[in-house]
Amino acid sequence: MMIQIRKTARLRRLSGMQVTACLPPLCPETLQAGRKQRRRRSLSAECPAQVFSLQVWSVQELQTCTLRLSISSRDFSGLRETPLGELEMSCAEIQWESDHTFSLTRQLNPARRKLRKSQSCQAAVGAPVSLLRSLGQILILLQYQSLAHRIKVMVRKAQNLPKLSRMPGTPDHSVIINLLQDGTVISTKETKCSSGLNPVWNAPFLFDLPAGDVSTLMLEFIIMQGRLYAKSCVLGRVLIGCEVSEAGNQHWREMRNTPQVETACWHLIQQDTP
């Protein structure tokens, strides 16, 4: 899938316009395109096409996605960035054809501006911690090897992890994977540490399954963040199984229904609860 941004209209601050795009859930990573422009008196801007290439395997997958675009600009110093507008469009609205170009015009929504400090503090009072700060997401691949009666787990990478400590430097992250049966841990694996807030592990593990129905099993992923001069702490966790969140349940069903095939899914990291 290729997207071209040809023209923007009624945008005032065009000294350094930048466009970002993503296509969740297939392409959740944000891509950027930008080109510095001279400030104009006109409220319209004819700019060279800004092109995004997003990998999509089939029309069916594409129709499950949502296209998200954000436009921002920088002042002449290049130090201050101002959000100008946002666009969110369901790909199911378009009748896609191979090698066919569609020209669409959409109204940008006002950009989400930062609240004043006093307003943000008032809104934070009494709000759940999970709503105040995102814990990021993690990409996990599962494969049910039915003949060997085991599960292959691949912990690929994580994105946008928050930094829990104010200590200088980038923290290390590792993932502990527990296989549970009726709430009891029966097997444990752990990745090596990977540095940064977007760590990459690419760590495969094999879990031999006990005899019986796999519906009584569950996978628990505990994301650990290392602190300087202190012990590692739990950043958050992800549960995949029959009786968990919708995303975890769906990934488990896809794994069971397609033996020998790897199924990949991004999971939001949930706050750790004692």
Side-chain angles (χ1 to χ4, degrees), residues 8 16 28 30 70 105 107 116 121 124 171 200 203 209 215 226 240 251 271:
T8 57
T30 300
S70 298
T105 302
Q107 180 70 35
R116 295 179 182 175
C121 292
V200 177
L209 305 180
S215 62
I240 301 178
H251 196 182
Q271 181 186 3

Side-chain angles (χ1 to χ4, degrees), residues 161-175:
L161 302 183
K163 187 176 179 181
L164 301 182
S165 172
R166 294 185 178 180
M167 299 296 293
T170 56
D172 291 333
H173 293 90
S174 62
V175 182

Side-chain angles (χ1 to χ4, degrees), residues 6 11 25 77 80-81 100 121 139 157 175 187 222 224 233 263 268 272:
R6 295 292 301 173
L11 297 179
S77 67
R80 185 175 182 180
E81 184 172 333
H100 184 74
C121 292
L139 179 59
K157 59 183 177 179
V175 182
S187 184
I222 304 176
M224 307 292 295
C233 60
T263 59
L268 294 177
D272 182 56

Side-chain angles (χ1 to χ4, degrees), residues 214-271:
V214 297
S215 62
T216 63
L217 303 177
M218 179 188 304
L219 286 169
E220 177 186 43
F221 298 81
I222 304 176
I223 295 85
M224 307 292 295
Q225 183 171 107
R227 289 183 174 179
L228 196 62
Y229 309 124
K231 294 182 179 180
S232 298
C233 60
V234 177
L235 174 68
R237 67 185 65 220
V238 167
L239 296 175
I240 301 178
C242 291
E243 299 181 358
V244 294
S245 65
E246 182 179 353
N249 194 326
Q250 181 179 354
H251 196 182
W252 186 265
R253 291 200 311 269
E254 289 179 1
M255 178 199 70
R256 290 188 57 189
N257 295 335
T258 55
Q260 320 306 326
V261 177
E262 285 189 336
T263 59
C265 182
W266 284 94
H267 294 269
L268 294 177
I269 300 172
Q270 303 298 320
Q271 181 186 3

Side-chain angles (χ1 to χ4, degrees), residues 68-71 83-88 107-112:
R68 293 175 183 167
L69 299 175
S70 298
I71 299 178
L84 300 177
E86 300 173 339
L87 171 65
E88 184 169 308
Q107 180 70 35
L108 289 176
N109 297 318
R112 299 185 182 94

